[in-house]
Amino acid sequence: MGLGGHAGVAGAAQACELDKVCAESVQDLMATIAKLDSNGVQVVPETPAQPSPALVHSSTDSKAAGPARAAAATGAGDPNEDWCAVCMDGGELMCCDKCPKVFHQYCHIPAVEKLPEPTESWQCLLCVNFAEVPEDGVGAGAGELGGRRRRVVERITLELYCQYELSLQFREPALYAAMHHLQPMCLDMIRMKLQPRSPDRYTHEAQFVADCRLLFRNAYRNNPADSQIYKDARRLEEFFDAQLVKWLPEYAYWSGEGEPPAKRSRLD
Ligand SMILES: [Zn+2]
Ligand SMILES: [Zn+2]
């Protein structure tokens, strides 16, 4: 979840042609990153102090317990994947009891503050059946994005991250946004705003949808239509709209600009 690495890839070619602009842009970018850190983006701990038996190290760790290992012992083979569904890295991973996905504690959305007990079953948010999650009551959580609405927004964000290949270049602030003085937006910023303690936290799902649209719009405005990043943005946005159709249908295909759809027009 570090902020280094891929941020500059998309804008690199343009940046080389514009050395001066590039230098300023990098400063802008670094300022953005510094802001992100000060707002509490969490870092995956290298070595958790108390490894829990609910975790797996890798498929070679025969001592690990938990449902996944139990299944392996019965001859079904390890039903869980070896790499975190969000970052495709290994290490201390939490196994979902319902699907093959595994996650780092702080890669899952929401971050899992307290590791499940060895005897506790744990399911990832992608496996939550929202048909069983009660609708928020009228006026529930006014001024805060809470309850079912919050879970739905977290779910959609996690779905976007789990589109690993497509989402990779949209996770960190894009250099081209800083170069063209666009409002930067990226998945890590969206994820940060989902944290209840964030000073910029979302108070309404319309803000979340608007940020996602801004992310895609930036990609379209700054990349040729035949570029890979443009095509990836299109595919990821189509996936995003498919998620909205499922979970927040009134926002599907809403541009994110101007008034939010009528049914949810109340911006707290
Ligand atoms: Zn991870
Ligand atoms: Zn799952």
Side-chain angles (χ1 to χ4, degrees):
M1 288 223 308
L3 290 164
H6 303 282
V9 174
Q14 291 161 284
C16 292
E17 297 164 18
L18 297 163
D19 282 340
K20 182 165 171 293
V21 179
C22 180
E24 287 168 4
S25 301
V26 169
Q27 282 173 3
D28 287 352
L29 184 64
M30 296 317 286
T32 304
I33 289 169
K35 181 160 165 280
L36 284 182
D37 281 337
S38 69
N39 282 340
V41 169
Q42 302 193 59
V43 176
V44 180
E46 291 287 332
T47 318
Q50 290 179 307
S52 155
L55 305 175
V56 295
H57 288 84
S58 72
S59 54
T60 58
D61 184 1
S62 58
K63 284 183 183 170
R69 297 299 148 194
T74 60
D78 185 349
N80 282 95
E81 294 161 359
D82 293 329
W83 312 109
C84 171
V86 168
C87 72
M88 287 295 152
D89 219 335
E92 306 277 9
L93 297 160
M94 302 185 304
C95 297
C96 178
D97 287 342
K98 237 181 165 177
C99 76
K101 288 194 164 33
V102 296
F103 297 88
H104 290 114
Q105 200 178 346
Y106 293 103
C107 281
H108 187 265
I109 301 173
V112 179
E113 299 289 346
K114 189 175 177 299
L115 287 169
E117 295 294 327
T119 52
E120 229 176 318
S121 79
W122 180 79
Q123 291 173 12
C124 74
L125 187 59
L126 301 186
C127 288
V128 168
N129 180 0
F130 278 92
E132 293 171 0
V133 178
E135 291 283 349
D136 299 326
V138 176
E144 290 292 332
L145 181 59
R148 186 181 199 274
R149 294 182 306 155
R150 160 170 218 90
R151 304 268 283 164
V152 161
V153 167
E154 287 171 341
R155 165 71 169 264
I156 295 173
T157 310
L158 186 57
E159 294 272 10
L160 291 173
Y161 273 97
C162 287
Q163 295 297 309
Y164 179 76
E165 298 282 343
L166 280 185
S167 69
L168 204 51
Q169 56 202 330
F170 304 112
R171 294 181 178 204
E172 294 157 1
L175 186 58
Y176 57 71
M179 287 178 66
H180 297 275
H181 303 287
L182 293 172
Q183 184 188 345
M185 187 46 62
C186 64
L187 287 174
D188 284 355
M189 291 168 75
I190 289 168
R191 180 194 176 110
M192 183 192 71
K193 291 182 176 189
L194 282 168
Q195 294 180 1
R197 289 184 296 274
S198 165
D200 302 321
R201 66 184 171 278
Y202 294 122
T203 55
H204 196 283
E205 63 270 26
Q207 299 160 345
F208 161 76
V209 177
D211 275 355
C212 292
R213 297 295 187 202
L214 173 62
L215 183 161
F216 295 124
R217 220 163 41 239
N218 282 351
Y220 303 143
R221 283 183 182 165
N222 291 280
N223 297 284
D226 60 352
S227 65
Q228 194 57 47
I229 188 169
Y230 187 105
K231 290 176 190 166
D232 285 352
R234 276 274 179 246
R235 282 180 60 203
L236 193 61
E237 188 167 24
E238 282 165 18
F239 176 81
F240 176 64
D241 273 310
Q243 298 299 310
L244 291 179
V245 166
K246 264 195 246 178
W247 311 115
L248 293 171
E250 61 271 36
Y251 290 99
Y253 309 106
W254 173 53
S255 71
E257 294 179 301
E259 282 292 301
K263 192 182 167 191
R264 298 274 186 177
S265 61
R266 182 176 55 87
L267 271 167
D268 298 311

